[in-house]
């Protein structure tokens, strides 16, 4: 049978299908199931500084009724963070004991000091690699694009200074010159980049004229955005790429490998099809490879990455008549 | 309650006293200043009280500032609803013992509360002067202390009357303010009360936490003696859960328990380098100094002494630690607090006293890492500056990191005073006891009864971290709750042979 081994997170992975960071990967039982299903790696649910702050605010608002002493309120400033870190490092230790597959921790912070602190603590807990879930919604009118970009470089630099395990980043596509940005980031010493994170999105309910949450899970066509950029960038970056977003089938996963991704990260498919979805994808990728006569991933990885002949195909954007077969 | 206050207010002497001075005259009197030891002198001594207390004349003058309002809002500010105008008016007319008695109607430890309550956030914040006149409030705390001290010093302390002994044994676990007030009330009701204390000294935080320069031990000892006279027994060096279990105590005939084991488990920030030598919790620091005589040179423990001492936190514990550090000879004794002075939880007076004593305040600073010399002794700390952002859910402005503001300062002792968690021993011994995520015991707020019917709890083990007065109030509520519970139980058992009274 075809060999599905690949490399990402600076690690050898047995499969290119990675369980992406999501609520499932924050639970030990699910982690065991994902390992059993053959995930190449498991990225734990992100540890969010912002979430810790939200918890703090909740705790503070509940305390009012108890006629609190502010000394006790100050206590939560430190303790909630500490407890969250302890829970998270506890999960890492348990997961490392329970499964063989590489365990990757995911962090998302606001302040540089917490990026540093959290990264150190997670490394100490024995995680195999770190994924920095880096995101700034570029909605601040006062901040320049350059300042936003600086946040990414500063954070990567700070974290790389304090940890020695491999560090990868997961980013969005909100950059004015996406290709140049990703290329520059790939040269910072990181072990990989995952394109692109999926976020909570607001939507509107027209019946009740209310803001609501858009679908949390991705749609099968969402993969087109990361596919283009994987194709454009995979042969030009200094570190490997992984793709995420709308990868719901082995077929889509194979497209990404052809476009040059070293691995794919999946989440929605796990909610739709259970952890077993990974086993199915591994099986189908292998079957396809066998049918195509590929022994290993490297035999076809990047076959359709941007090359001179593909530039136009990846970079065309407007629906000019010239590109379409049918008349719309 | 309101009715009672009204009746008291209409007593002849109060009516007459009100006519003695016009309110206009009362409001022109300046608030009294608390006489205190000179800062330069006082920092030489760990055991000399800073505040000296009011003399009789100035207490009477201060008492006459109080206008004996129709609607005494100050009482609403007091967690145990002391009849404040009544005790103050008693001082004004020179009836000091009556004033002390009024305090004791609701407060078990007035000499303590007069010294350590955050009055500026409680009664004095609700005083008519503060609310309406925008003037300095009547010095309720000073007056409380005056009346309580007057009684203590007079030598004729009234030991409260106790009901006929009912021989029902009840236990209090811990000997802090919650337990002491519980024990007092239960003894009054005729119960046979034993207080179990893990340490060799009775008094809880009042003894091992709050230093003598703020609360002399003798003030607490007078209260303890009074409880002993009422028949309360104290078992020292007795850890419930280790020396004996709850089951052992039940076998010995205890019918109900009041758990007030406090919040003595120190917390750290868990930042890199926090394990180096020379970094300790405020709990350990203060306990060593207060109970183990570490301050005296023959017990010199180098761990505690340093040239540059940083104390992390902004509460009373932090102030007590940093002022202790100064008294142990630190050249630079610093407070490192991540918010600003305005958000500091410490009593305003402590912050003022600390400033007078030359304590440095590094407010809006947060430690992020410690470094050590080749022997593993801390020698440097990295701080990060903070600024204040939007208000948080507690209404205080939240501290936000100033990026790129890290800097290092030399330190040789660091005292971490960011808070304490509940003592886990008692809850861990009783798996069926309901506790919160934070390890505090969950109770009915009226009766202080826990999920185990014969177990009541109060003070810091229920609130996480609170104040002496709240702990004391809990003890009183628990006493009432437990009495009710035991009575009901007894009434239900009268027809059965092993009625509760005969159980032992
Ligand atoms: C340094 C410091 C300064 C403070 N300053 C002020 C102030 O200025 N004003 C104010 O209002 N509040 C102040 N506080 C807070 C206040 O002291 C506490 O809220 C209060 O003492 C709580 O009372 P408690 O009875 O619940 O417990 P504590 O006073 O903590 O007493 C609990 C006792 O239980 C004992 N114990 C624990 N477990 C067991 C066991 N298993 N068996 C037997 N015994 C056990 C402990 O040894 C301890 O003596 C301060 C606290 C500290 C630490
Ligand atoms: C319920 C849910 C929770 C998620 N939580 C995180 C997270 O904590 N950190 C993160 O980096 N991505 C998170 N993601 C994004 C996924 O890791 C993944 O990158 C994204 O959903 C796109 O993949 P998909 O189309 O296979 O779902 C989450 C996604 C889902 C659906």
């Amino acid at each position: 049978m075809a060999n599905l081994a690949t490399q990402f997170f600076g690690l050898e992975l047995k499969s290119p299908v990675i369980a992406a960071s999501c609520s499932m990967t924050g639970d030990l039982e699910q982690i065991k199931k994902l390992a059993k299903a053959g995930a190449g790696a498991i990225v734990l649910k992100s540890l969010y500084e912002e979430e810790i702050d939200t918890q703090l605010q909740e705790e503070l608002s509940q305390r009012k009724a108890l006629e609190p002493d502010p000394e006790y309120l100050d206590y939560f400033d430190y303790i909630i963070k500490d407890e969250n870190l302890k829970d998270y490092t506890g999960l890492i230790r348990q997961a490392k004991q329970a499964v063989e597959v590489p365990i990757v921790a995911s962090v998302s912070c606001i302040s540089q000091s917490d990026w540093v602190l959290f990264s150190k603590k997670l490394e100490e807990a024995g995680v195999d690699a770190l994924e920095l879930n880096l995101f700034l919604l570029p909605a601040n009118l006062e901040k320049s694009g350059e300042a936003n970009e600086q946040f990414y470089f500063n954070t990567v630099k700070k974290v790389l200074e304090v940890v020695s395990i491999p560090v990868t980043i997961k980013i969005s596509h909100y950059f004015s010159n996406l290709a140049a940005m990703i290329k520059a980031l790939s040269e910072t010493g990181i072990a990989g980049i995952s394109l692109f994170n999926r976020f909570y999105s607001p939507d509107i309910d027209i019946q009740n004229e209310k803001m609501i949450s858009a679908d949390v899970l991705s749609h099968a066509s969402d993969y087109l955005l990361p596919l283009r950029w994987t194709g454009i960038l995979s042969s030009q970056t200094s570190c490997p790429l992984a793709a995420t977003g709308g990868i719901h089938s082995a077929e889509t996963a194979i497209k990404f490998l052809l476009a040059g991704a070293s691995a794919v990260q999946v989440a929605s498919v796990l909610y739709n099809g259970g952890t077993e979805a990974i086993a199915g994808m591994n099986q189908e990728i292998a079957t396809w490879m066998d049918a195509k006569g590929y022994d290993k991933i490297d035999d076809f990885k990047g076959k359709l990455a941007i090359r001179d002949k593909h530039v136009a195909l990846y970079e065309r954007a407007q629906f000019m008549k010239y590109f379409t077969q049918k008349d719309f | 309650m309101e009715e009672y206050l009204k009746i008291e207010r209409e007593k002849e002497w109060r009516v007459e006293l009100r006519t003695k001075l016009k309110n206009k005259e009362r409001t022109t009197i300046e608030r009294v200043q608390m006489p205190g030891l000179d800062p330069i002198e006082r920092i030489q001594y760990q055991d000399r009280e800073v505040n000296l207390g009011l003399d009789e004349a100035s207490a009477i003058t201060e008492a006459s500032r109080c206008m004996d309002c129709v609607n005494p809002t100050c009482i609403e500010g007091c967690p145990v609803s002391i009849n404040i105008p009544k005790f103050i008016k008693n001082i004004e007319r020179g009836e000091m013992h009556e004033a002390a008695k009024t305090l004791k109607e609701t407060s078990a430890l007035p000499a303590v509360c007069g010294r350590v309550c955050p009055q500026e956030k409680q009664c004095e914040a609700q005083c008519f002067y503060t609310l309406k006149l925008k003037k300095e409030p009547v010095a309720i705390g000073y007056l409380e202390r005056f009346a309580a001290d007057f009684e203590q010093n007079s030598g004729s302390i009234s030991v409260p009357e106790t009901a006929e002994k009912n021989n029902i044994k009840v236990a209090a676990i811990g000997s802090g303010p919650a337990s002491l007030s519980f024990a007092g009330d239960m003894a009054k009701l005729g119960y046979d009360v034993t207080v179990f204390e893990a340490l060799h000294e009775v008094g809880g935080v009042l003894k091992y936490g709050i230093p003598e320069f703020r609360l002399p031990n003798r003030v607490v000892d007078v209260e303890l003696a009074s409880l002993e006279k009422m028949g309360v027994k104290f078992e020292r060096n007795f850890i419930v859960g280790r020396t004996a279990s709850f089951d052992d105590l039940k076998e010995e005939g205890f019918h109900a328990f009041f758990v007030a084991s406090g919040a003595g488990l120190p917390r750290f920030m868990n930042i890199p380098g926090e394990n180096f030598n020379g970094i300790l919790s405020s709990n350990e620091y203060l306990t060593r100094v207060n109970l183990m005589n570490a301050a005296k040179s023959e017990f010199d423990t180098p761990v505690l002494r340093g040239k540059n001492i940083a104390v992390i936190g902004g509460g009373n514990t932090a102030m007590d630690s940093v002022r202790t550090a100064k008294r142990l000879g630190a050249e630079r004794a610093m407070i490192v607090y991540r918010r600003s002075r305005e958000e500091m939880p410490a009593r305003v007076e402590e912050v003022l006293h600390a400033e007078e004593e030359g304590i440095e305040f590094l407010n809006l600073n947060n430690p992020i890492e410690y470094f050590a010399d080749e022997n593993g002794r801390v020698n440097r700390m990295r701080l990060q500056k903070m600024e204040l952002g939007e208000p948080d859910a507690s209404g205080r402005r939240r501290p936000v990191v100033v990026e790129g503001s890290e800097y290092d300062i030399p330190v040789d002792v660091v005292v971490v005073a960011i808070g304490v968690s509940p003592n886990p021993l008692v809850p861990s011994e009783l798996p069926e006891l309901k506790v919160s995520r934070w390890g505090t015991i969950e109770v009915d707020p009226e009766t202080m009864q826990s999920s185990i019917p014969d177990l009541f709890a109060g003070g810091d083990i229920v609130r996480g971290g609170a104040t002496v007065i709240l702990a004391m109030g809990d003890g009183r509520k628990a006493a009432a709750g437990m009495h009710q519970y035991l009575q009901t139980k007894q009434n239900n058992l009268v027809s059965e042979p092993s009625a509760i009274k005969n159980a032992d």
Side-chain angles (χ1 to χ4, degrees):
Chain A
M1 197 177 100
N3 180 356
L4 295 187
T6 184
Q7 294 97 32
F8 196 68
F9 301 121
L11 306 167
E12 292 294 325
L13 311 185
K14 286 199 175 122
S15 154
V17 185
I18 296 166
S21 174
C22 60
S23 24
M24 266 189 189
T25 60
D27 179 88
L28 187 65
E29 289 314 306
Q30 301 287 353
I31 290 170
K32 288 184 194 161
K33 283 188 196 161
L34 289 164
K36 208 166 146 221
I42 299 171
V43 187
L44 302 182
K45 172 82 190 145
S46 297
L47 175 63
Y48 289 103
E49 182 186 349
E50 193 180 344
E51 202 163 80
I52 294 175
D53 188 57
T54 310
Q55 272 182 35
L56 170 66
Q57 298 310 320
E58 265 169 29
E59 196 60 46
L60 293 183
S61 57
Q62 278 173 22
R63 292 252 94 77
K64 273 190 183 132
L66 263 176
E67 302 175 73
D69 180 28
E71 190 150 1
Y72 192 43
L73 298 183
D74 270 4
Y75 163 89
F76 290 109
D77 285 355
Y78 302 97
I79 269 35
I80 292 190
K81 187 194 278 188
D82 189 34
E83 295 278 325
N84 271 280
L85 271 170
K86 279 196 184 131
D87 287 351
Y88 201 85
T89 50
L91 178 68
I92 293 176
R93 291 198 176 93
Q94 286 177 322
K96 283 301 297 172
Q97 269 206 335
V99 302
E100 297 276 314
V101 53
I103 297 293
V104 179
S106 169
V107 226
S108 177
C109 295
I110 303 158
S111 58
Q112 300 285 339
S113 48
D114 275 353
W115 279 108
V116 168
L117 173 71
F118 289 16
S119 300
K120 272 191 195 171
K121 293 273 168 192
L122 304 186
E123 177 178 38
E124 270 170 34
V127 82
D128 296 299
L130 265 184
E131 180 175 83
L132 310 182
N133 174 359
L134 285 169
F135 182 57
L136 268 186
L137 188 77
N140 184 342
L141 297 176
E142 324 263 278
K143 244 176 134 187
S144 69
E146 218 173 4
N148 278 349
E149 288 175 2
Q150 212 48 50
F151 157 80
Y152 291 80
F153 291 108
N154 287 346
T155 307
V156 167
K157 183 162 171 269
K158 286 258 177 184
V159 173
L160 287 177
E161 271 168 18
V162 297
V163 300
S164 47
I165 48 173
V167 175
T168 64
I169 63 173
K170 187 176 184 189
I171 55 172
S172 76
H173 59 278
Y174 293 107
F175 293 99
S176 58
N177 191 349
L178 187 57
M181 182 69 186
I182 290 176
K183 183 156 166 43
L185 281 169
S186 79
E187 286 158 2
T188 54
I190 53 175
I193 304 179
S194 299
L195 310 175
F196 298 108
N197 207 349
R198 176 178 172 78
F199 306 100
Y200 161 88
S201 292
D203 200 350
I204 287 174
D205 167 355
I206 62 165
Q207 284 310 323
N208 299 304
E209 300 185 16
K210 254 186 13 194
M211 297 292 298
I212 52 169
S213 162
D215 288 346
V216 172
L217 301 183
S218 61
H219 299 277
S221 58
D222 291 351
Y223 77 87
L224 293 169
L225 177 74
L227 184 67
R228 174 196 298 255
W229 293 101
T230 304
I232 292 176
L233 286 158
S234 66
S235 59
Q236 307 189 66
T237 51
S238 304
C239 67
L241 300 181
T244 180
I247 302 165
H248 290 197
S249 64
E251 185 187 340
T252 314
I254 293 165
K255 292 180 186 180
F256 277 96
L257 297 170
L258 285 167
S262 298
V264 294
Q265 295 205 26
V266 298
S268 295
V269 77
L270 304 176
Y271 290 88
N272 293 331
T275 51
E276 273 307 298
I278 290 187
M281 286 172 79
N282 281 338
Q283 183 60 51
E284 285 177 43
I285 295 171
T287 308
W288 176 83
M289 283 169 69
D290 287 343
K292 290 278 182 177
Y294 296 131
D295 294 332
K296 50 187 196 304
I297 302 275
D298 275 343
D299 291 348
F300 65 98
K301 189 178 111 185
K303 199 171 174 188
L304 297 179
I306 206 167
R307 307 257 192 276
D308 293 343
K309 60 177 173 160
H310 296 136
V311 172
L313 292 167
Y314 274 115
E315 294 191 357
R316 73 169 56 139
Q318 301 297 348
F319 286 114
M320 289 180 284
K321 219 175 192 165
Y322 171 77
F323 299 133
T324 52
Q325 310 300 327
K326 294 184 199 138
D327 289 328
F328 279 96
Chain B
M1 175 76 188
E2 248 169 57
E3 205 43 40
Y4 156 80
L5 289 179
K6 218 181 264 164
I7 295 169
E8 287 282 339
R9 188 174 180 273
E10 289 316 318
K11 290 221 166 121
E12 221 179 293
W13 68 270
R14 292 262 295 263
V15 177
E16 200 187 308
L17 201 60
R18 282 199 291 275
T19 60
K20 268 192 147 173
L21 272 181
K22 291 206 180 77
N23 276 349
K24 232 184 174 168
E25 292 167 291
R26 292 183 189 274
T27 56
T28 50
I29 306 170
E30 290 284 317
R31 177 176 157 124
V32 68
Q33 296 283 331
M34 172 60 82
L37 290 180
D38 179 66
I40 308 275
E41 191 198 327
R42 73 192 186 218
I43 56 170
Q44 316 288 330
Y45 307 97
Q46 176 70 9
D47 56 359
R48 292 210 186 159
E49 194 178 6
V50 170
N51 282 345
L52 298 172
L54 303 182
D55 59 35
E56 196 168 327
S58 41
I60 291 174
T61 311
E62 182 63 23
S64 65
R65 290 180 71 219
C66 169
M67 293 181 286
D68 199 3
C69 305
V70 186
N71 176 19
T73 41
C74 51
I75 300 179
E76 288 161 26
C78 175
V80 297
S81 308
I82 290 179
N83 190 340
I84 294 168
K86 181 178 168 193
F87 101 78
I88 292 185
K89 290 299 110 179
N90 268 310
I91 295 178
E92 187 182 346
R93 68 168 173 157
E95 290 291 342
M96 309 311 175
H97 282 286
E98 276 302 309
K101 231 167 103 186
T102 307
L103 290 167
K104 285 199 168 165
E105 282 170 15
T106 36
S107 167
L109 306 165
V112 174
C113 292
R115 287 173 166 83
V116 306
C117 267
Q119 292 96 0
E120 74 277 1
K121 295 194 191 97
Q122 300 178 344
C123 51
E124 294 184 16
Q126 302 300 322
C127 173
F128 189 80
Y129 280 78
T130 317
L131 292 178
K132 295 281 152 60
L133 304 179
K134 308 289 168 218
K135 283 190 176 177
E136 286 203 283
V138 174
I140 302 171
Y142 296 170
L143 291 174
E144 178 182 26
R145 171 184 164 164
F146 169 79
D149 282 2
F150 187 94
E151 192 195 31
Q152 284 202 353
N153 297 335
S154 72
S156 65
I157 298 170
S158 61
V159 175
E161 279 174 33
T162 52
E164 200 190 320
K165 294 258 170 289
N166 63 15
N167 293 324
I168 299 176
K169 279 169 83 173
V170 296
I173 294 142
S175 65
S179 271
L180 298 182
S181 63
F182 166 83
D185 277 12
M186 289 305 267
K188 278 187 216 163
L189 290 166
Y191 287 88
D192 179 358
V193 191
T194 308
V195 175
F196 295 96
E197 170 54 54
L199 301 172
H200 65 266
E201 183 88 51
V202 169
V205 170
L206 305 181
K207 280 282 180 67
Y208 75 75
I210 306 179
E212 288 235 51
F213 58 78
R214 206 148 70 80
L215 177 65
N217 286 343
R218 70 179 149 74
V219 173
V220 185
D221 289 335
V222 173
E223 304 291 347
L224 296 174
S226 184
L227 286 172
E228 276 185 321
K229 279 188 203 139
M230 290 162 71
V232 175
K233 293 170 210 149
F234 291 97
E235 288 278 353
R236 295 168 172 81
N237 296 312
F238 195 112
I239 307 177
V240 176
R242 203 163 293 151
T243 319
S245 68
F246 279 91
D247 285 340
D248 296 338
L249 292 177
K250 273 187 197 161
E251 256 171 46
E252 279 183 35
F254 287 97
H255 287 291
F257 301 88
F258 175 59
V259 179
S261 48
L265 186 71
R267 296 298 306 231
F268 287 90
M269 288 170 67
N270 251 323
I271 55 175
E274 220 174 15
N275 292 331
F276 290 133
N277 292 331
I279 305 180
L280 65 175
S281 70
S282 56
N283 215 48
E284 185 185 347
Y285 185 73
L286 289 172
T287 307
R288 283 221 203 181
V289 175
N290 293 341
L291 289 193
M292 298 177 194
N293 281 322
K296 302 207 176 106
S297 49
E298 64 265 34
F299 291 94
D300 205 355
T301 18
V303 170
L304 304 176
R305 294 185 192 266
K307 247 173 39 182
N308 299 303
I309 301 194
V311 176
I312 319 302
N316 287 318
T317 318
M319 293 308 141
D320 285 342
S321 302
V322 78
R323 296 174 68 198
T324 296
K326 192 81 193 174
R327 283 161 172 78
L328 292 187
E331 282 170 23
R332 205 175 165 201
M334 297 165 273
I335 282 286
V336 176
Y337 182 52
R338 68 202 291 264
R339 298 173 188 250
S340 76
R341 190 175 188 278
E342 216 166 292
E343 290 83 27
M344 278 200 170
R347 295 177 75 227
V348 167
E349 188 180 45
E350 299 334 313
V351 180
L352 279 174
H353 282 167
E355 282 170 344
E356 286 170 9
E357 290 164 10
I359 305 299
E360 265 178 75
F361 284 79
L362 303 180
N363 292 339
L364 291 169
N365 270 281
N366 200 34
I368 51 175
E369 189 166 0
Y370 298 101
F371 302 91
D373 62 18
E374 61 284 0
N375 302 318
R377 170 80 183 219
V378 66
N379 63 3
R380 189 158 58 89
M381 75 192 285
R382 180 155 300 160
L383 297 174
Q384 176 176 56
K385 294 208 169 139
M386 313 289 286
E387 61 191 5
L388 292 178
E390 297 293 305
D392 65 16
S394 70
R396 300 181 300 164
R397 292 178 65 193
R398 76 175 81 195
V400 185
V401 169
V402 178
E403 293 299 343
S405 64
E406 293 97 347
Y407 67 106
D408 292 1
I409 57 167
V411 285
D412 41 22
V413 172
V414 176
V415 178
V416 181
I418 58 164
V420 281
S421 287
N423 285 324
L425 188 60
V426 168
S428 70
E429 224 212 85
L430 301 167
E432 66 276 34
L433 183 65
K434 252 175 106 177
V435 293
S436 75
R437 176 176 170 205
W438 305 110
T440 51
I441 298 178
E442 298 198 342
V443 294
D444 175 324
E446 293 308 318
T447 62
M448 309 310 280
Q449 189 172 31
S450 74
S451 59
I452 301 176
D454 57 8
L455 196 145
F456 294 69
D460 284 1
I461 186 79
V462 163
R463 296 172 180 274
T467 52
V468 171
I469 189 115
L470 285 170
M472 208 187 72
D474 286 355
R476 303 207 62 195
K477 266 201 245 168
M482 189 187 285
H483 177 52
Q484 171 87 36
Y485 166 75
L486 289 174
Q487 273 193 320
T488 314
K489 198 165 158 186
Q490 192 180 7
N491 291 341
N492 293 344
L493 284 176
V494 276
S495 51
E496 290 175 34
S498 62
I500 192 167
K501 258 195 187 178
N502 308 322
D504 49 15

